[in-house]
Amino acid sequence: MPSSAAASAADLKVISYAETSGGFRAPARGWNSFGLQANNVGANFSFDQDHVVAQCDLMADKLAAANYTYCSLDSGWSVGGNGDDHGRIIYDAPKFDIPKLADHLHGKGLKLGLYVVPGAFQADLDKTILGTSTKIRDVCSGDEGLARCVFNYTRPEVQTWHDSVVKQFADWGADFIKLDFITPGSPDNGQNLPADQSAAVPAWRTAIARSGRPMRLDISWKLDRTPKYFSLWNANAESMRSDQDINNGGEATFIRWATVQRAIDNYRQWIVAALGLFDDEQEENKLRVYPDLDNLYAGNAAVITGVSDAQRRTIMTHWIAAGANLITGSDLARVDALGMELLTSRDALAVADFAARYPMQPRNPGTGGQDAKQLQAWIAGPSSSCGRAAVVLANYGPDQGQGGFGSKTAGKQRVSATWADLGLDGKNKYAVKNVWTGKQQATTARGVEALLDEGESALFWVTPVNKM
């Protein structure tokens, strides 16, 4: 693929998501607890069943019609130092009753997500793996820094342990597993992680398949994108984190714009790596794993979220056009009018559905390259059936240190991309519709453009006139 060379329709490699290894055809939508656990945003939130139910009941009332259905618990729902008599993960009973929570959520049409990390507890080394005569210490040793030992994945009893854990999750009613601290990846983790715990991912995938209950597997975080590991994640997970956590841990707002710039650039790196590795031609080489850009913080007012309203819209635009998980971390008790629009707009979610097939890729204005740019263009598609595409134009504002592009141009900027820049056939005429405003642009033979302030973006449907 070109980096900074002139582009044409011939060099646009269109890639599409195929069915995941677990049988899913779209990324997840829902709510995750971590932002309210980690940030002091005035939500009066404690991580326990009552407060989680309050948030997820609001999701059922406000967002379920837009297919936000996963109520995902992050770290802290389980006992932190030991498992049951067989070393299986158990819920922290003073705070949670997981089967009861699952029943409640399922009754509302929602689904339950649980958080795990690799390994068994060091405190459980002398316990026997269910269905075997093997002690955990025989297959798990060392210290990864999370009160856990490191499994020897060549031993079949290790898979038996995973099977027993996931079968219990299935019996409780779990629908989603977030597997954190996977390596290679998980940088700046503050733990003594092994350099390669990739074998944990197929172990959990196999256990899910054997449990008899469909469950998504989301793996985290900022995972290695080299061919060996990207192919492994692709074959075993529904979604994979492309970046580190984006929230401001312990602060009074959820995020900073500098971190959003980093998250967008990490997605750019992710999709460029995917384009170089996967294709639609061979079944065994299709892209099957969705990107997880981390929790979606767009639902609350700027004073809570930490970025401007225009930047909130830019966040939503990029998350949907990437075909990423739409797992909000916002306080659902304080979703404002803009937040409701961003999370539930039918027109915008139609783009999300389209991008769940065709993820956006960068096309630098003026060259069609794939580099990080302050003034950037992206294209999702075009579709093989009608030639329709979704196009994003963005002015990310001055690089705040992690955006990857380095430039510091201030103020409003005109961002434009020709059809050739986007890899489209310049011989066609295209109808252009602004997705967020609903306004139809003048049919043009040249391309798309928008005057954008710092952190602002525009989202368009682009359709060949002769295909309308």
Side-chain angles (χ1 to χ4, degrees):
M1 293 295 293
S3 177
S4 296
S8 67
D11 65 35
L12 176 66
K13 178 180 177 179
V14 178
I15 193 170
S16 59
Y17 295 117
E19 184 176 277
T20 71
S21 57
F24 294 91
R25 295 304 303 250
R29 298 180 192 172
W31 173 86
N32 176 265
S33 63
F34 186 69
L36 292 182
Q37 290 176 247
N39 293 81
N40 302 317
V41 294
N44 193 30
F45 181 84
S46 297
F47 190 43
D48 57 34
Q49 188 136 325
D50 289 343
H51 286 85
V52 167
V53 164
Q55 289 287 320
C56 292
D57 281 357
L58 288 167
M59 179 169 67
D61 294 341
K62 296 180 178 182
L63 303 179
N67 293 324
Y68 292 85
T69 57
Y70 286 90
C71 178
S72 177
L73 308 184
D74 217 272
S75 177
W77 68 270
S78 58
V79 174
N82 62 274
D84 66 7
D85 289 345
H86 297 286
R88 297 178 297 177
I89 299 167
I90 52 177
Y91 52 88
D92 189 353
K95 294 181 179 180
F96 289 97
D97 181 334
I98 294 299
K100 184 177 180 180
L101 177 59
D103 286 346
H104 176 84
L105 295 174
H106 295 156
K108 295 269 186 178
L110 304 179
K111 302 181 190 302
L112 172 64
L114 299 176
Y115 172 101
V116 299
V117 298
F121 287 108
Q122 291 176 309
D124 292 341
L125 291 177
D126 289 322
K127 295 177 180 177
T128 302
I129 295 170
L130 185 66
T132 76
S133 59
T134 302
K135 300 282 189 184
I136 290 175
R137 71 165 56 254
D138 297 330
V139 297
C140 199
S141 61
D143 176 10
E144 70 167 3
L146 293 163
R148 288 165 174 82
C149 53
V150 181
F151 275 127
N152 174 2
Y153 288 93
T154 66
R155 294 285 297 267
E157 300 96 321
V158 171
Q159 186 61 58
T160 303
W161 180 89
H162 285 83
D163 294 351
S164 70
V165 170
V166 176
K167 180 61 169 67
Q168 183 158 264
F169 284 8
D171 292 344
W172 292 343
D175 306 286
F176 179 108
I177 295 173
K178 175 182 175 181
L179 176 59
D180 207 1
F181 285 92
I182 292 296
T183 56
S186 303
D188 302 325
N189 54 71
Q191 305 294 331
N192 185 34
L193 299 183
D196 188 344
Q197 287 214 99
S198 60
V201 178
W204 284 92
R205 171 86 280 159
T206 298
I208 291 170
R210 291 176 176 176
S211 75
R213 183 177 181 84
M215 298 184 207
R216 291 180 182 267
L217 180 61
D218 177 65
I219 57 175
S220 190
W221 75 90
K222 196 176 181 182
L223 293 158
D224 190 300
R225 308 179 192 113
T226 56
K228 173 183 175 181
Y229 293 105
F230 206 154
S231 296
L232 182 67
W233 318 140
N234 188 62
N236 289 284
E238 269 62 57
S239 52
M240 59 177 282
R241 275 276 292 278
S242 54
D243 193 16
Q244 298 173 214
D245 293 348
I246 68 169
N247 66 295
N248 305 327
E251 298 188 13
T253 58
F254 282 121
I255 54 174
R256 299 186 186 92
W257 184 244
T259 317
V260 176
Q261 288 182 340
R262 186 195 72 200
I264 292 171
D265 189 55
N266 268 285
Y267 170 74
R268 180 192 64 82
Q269 296 172 43
W270 184 91
I271 191 62
V272 169
L275 285 163
L277 184 59
F278 304 108
D279 60 59
D280 290 353
E281 302 303 318
Q282 298 176 319
E283 187 67 27
E284 66 274 12
N285 204 38
K286 290 184 176 181
L287 178 61
R288 300 183 181 279
V289 63
Y290 293 100
D292 179 353
L293 277 64
D294 200 12
N295 286 347
L296 172 64
Y297 295 104
N300 297 136
V303 68
I304 301 170
T305 301
V307 298
S308 72
D309 286 349
Q311 291 166 341
R312 290 167 62 195
R313 191 180 298 276
T314 291
I315 291 168
M316 191 71 195
T317 293
H318 284 69
W319 265 238
I320 65 175
N325 284 347
L326 301 182
I327 305 287
T328 181
S330 298
D331 179 4
L332 298 185
R334 294 184 291 170
V335 175
D336 65 1
L338 175 60
M340 281 299 296
E341 177 198 346
L342 297 178
L343 292 169
T344 65
S345 163
R346 289 185 179 181
D347 290 339
L349 291 178
V351 177
D353 292 339
F354 180 84
R357 174 77 186 277
Y358 300 105
M360 71 175 184
Q361 57 179 289
R363 301 287 295 189
N364 301 155
T367 68
Q370 298 175 321
D371 300 328
K373 296 290 183 181
Q374 179 179 337
L375 308 182
Q376 184 67 287
W378 304 77
I379 186 168
S383 73
S384 57
S385 58
C386 67
R388 192 183 206 189
V391 172
V392 176
L393 299 181
N395 172 12
Y396 299 121
D399 193 323
Q400 297 184 15
Q402 303 175 83
F405 48 84
S407 58
K408 303 280 187 181
T409 306
K412 291 184 178 181
Q413 303 295 322
R414 187 164 297 281
V415 184
S416 61
T418 67
W419 302 132
D421 293 341
L422 294 168
L424 297 176
D425 187 349
K427 296 177 183 178
N428 289 334
K429 283 191 175 182
Y430 296 89
V432 179
K433 180 182 178 180
N434 187 307
V435 174
W436 289 114
T437 67
K439 292 181 179 179
Q440 197 79 31
Q441 311 283 98
T443 301
T444 174
R446 183 178 182 276
V448 290
E449 65 176 25
L451 183 63
L452 302 173
D453 209 344
E454 296 175 16
E456 195 174 8
S457 63
L459 175 62
F460 301 103
W461 280 121
V462 173
T463 309
V465 172
N466 61 351
K467 296 292 182 69
M468 294 181 67

